[in-house]
Amino acid sequence: MHEPRLRPRLPGPRRHPGPPHRRGPQAGVGPTPVPAHAREPEQAPGARGGPPPRPCGFHPARSGHSFLPPPPAPGPPPGGPPQDPAERARAICLRLLTGSPRTRKQLADALRKREIPDEVAEEVLSRFEDVGLIDDAAFAGAWVESRHHGRGLARRALARELRTKGVEPTLIQEAVEQLDSEREEATARELVDRKLRATRGLDRDRRLRRLAGMLARKGYPEGMALRVVRQALEAEGEDTDGLDESF
């Protein structure tokens, strides 16, 4: 009878028996707790990248490091005003003309106030005149039409306003000649009719002075103002005999 032959055991890595499998937690048994200073920083779910973990006790201000971005390089801020005087002058004039028409003198005063050199300002303003962006004659004509229709100003007051805006005398004369005496007197009658009711209850002389003074402030000649006011008072039944010829 033959005995069974045993297979020889081949050498190999030893297997260390692990802890017995247990169900549920058991007091006194479990992984060794990790100290707080040695734990890895947790990252938000779905976050990519992020700053590297700081070593324990690291402080940027104390260590001389900073995570702030470096200061910008010196120079004009992006989108700021141009540094070239001619470019600045053009930008200033275009901005002012966008709001409303201006005379050459008004633009020159604005450039001088912003310290644009005179020779640069003259060159830019002349160029604007060449292309029609500055037109003092058209400005004066539009000013006369608008101010006479909207405020009831007469030729004398309109000429005074245009002088303050730097319009040349010849251009002022041409502009105010758009208003003839008949149109001026018709506007004066409209102004008196609007104010006449507010003067009712006053004596005749006070009404005359108030209405004629209103026309004088708007630039109407004294003779025209007195004639228009007297006719308006007569139409209301006032006795105008013996009224002063001046006020």
Side-chain angles (χ1 to χ4, degrees), residues 142-180:
W143 185 269
V144 167
E145 185 66 26
S146 173
R147 298 286 284 178
H148 179 75
H149 179 74
R151 299 289 303 277
L153 299 184
R155 287 176 289 184
R156 186 170 59 184
L158 293 169
R160 182 170 58 248
E161 288 185 345
L162 290 175
R163 281 194 298 269
T164 62
K165 296 183 179 301
V167 181
E168 296 180 0
T170 55
L171 298 179
I172 294 176
Q173 185 65 27
E174 294 175 2
V176 297
E177 285 179 354
Q178 301 176 22
L179 301 176
D180 54 19

Side-chain angles (χ1 to χ4, degrees), residues 16 51 86-87 127 168 206 225:
H16 298 279
E87 290 293 334
R127 177 58 181 165
E168 296 180 0
R206 292 184 63 186

Side-chain angles (χ1 to χ4, degrees), residues 15-234:
R15 297 181 179 178
H16 298 279
H21 179 70
R22 297 179 184 275
R23 294 182 180 179
Q26 186 175 357
V29 179
T32 305
V34 181
H37 67 272
R39 295 176 185 173
E40 292 290 338
E42 296 184 359
Q43 206 170 15
R48 298 182 180 179
R54 299 178 181 177
C56 182
F58 177 80
H59 193 280
R62 297 174 184 171
S63 61
H65 296 79
S66 176
F67 293 110
L68 298 177
Q83 298 301 311
D84 180 60
E87 290 293 334
R88 287 184 56 209
R90 282 190 285 269
I92 292 170
C93 291
L94 288 175
R95 184 172 65 252
L96 293 175
L97 290 171
T98 300
S100 62
R102 308 291 177 112
T103 64
R104 177 171 179 139
K105 183 180 182 300
Q106 287 178 308
L107 295 175
D109 292 342
L111 296 180
R112 190 177 300 109
K113 183 178 179 181
R114 290 164 175 81
E115 299 181 352
I116 301 295
D118 292 341
E119 60 276 8
V120 176
E122 287 296 322
E123 181 181 353
V124 171
L125 294 175
S126 297
R127 177 58 181 165
F128 273 47
E129 278 187 334
D130 293 340
V131 298
L133 292 176
I134 299 177
D135 190 341
D136 284 2
F139 176 91
W143 185 269
V144 167
E145 185 66 26
S146 173
R147 298 286 284 178
H148 179 75
H149 179 74
R151 299 289 303 277
L153 299 184
R155 287 176 289 184
R156 186 170 59 184
L158 293 169
R160 182 170 58 248
E161 288 185 345
L162 290 175
R163 281 194 298 269
T164 62
K165 296 183 179 301
V167 181
E168 296 180 0
T170 55
L171 298 179
I172 294 176
Q173 185 65 27
E174 294 175 2
V176 297
E177 285 179 354
Q178 301 176 22
L179 301 176
D180 54 19
S181 299
E182 294 181 359
R183 183 179 177 186
E184 204 172 44
E185 184 168 342
T187 303
R189 294 183 188 281
E190 294 176 1
L191 292 173
V192 170
D193 290 341
R194 295 175 193 171
K195 299 293 183 180
L196 194 62
R197 181 177 299 180
T199 64
R200 290 172 182 170
L202 302 177
D203 61 79
R204 182 194 63 181
D205 292 342
R206 292 184 63 186
R207 297 183 75 185
L208 173 68
R209 288 193 297 269
R210 181 169 297 186
L211 295 172
M214 179 266 298
L215 293 179
R217 289 190 297 273
K218 290 182 178 293
Y220 290 89
E222 181 179 351
M224 177 187 295
L226 287 173
R227 182 174 65 254
V228 169
V229 172
R230 183 182 289 108
Q231 292 173 355
L233 293 177
E234 289 175 353

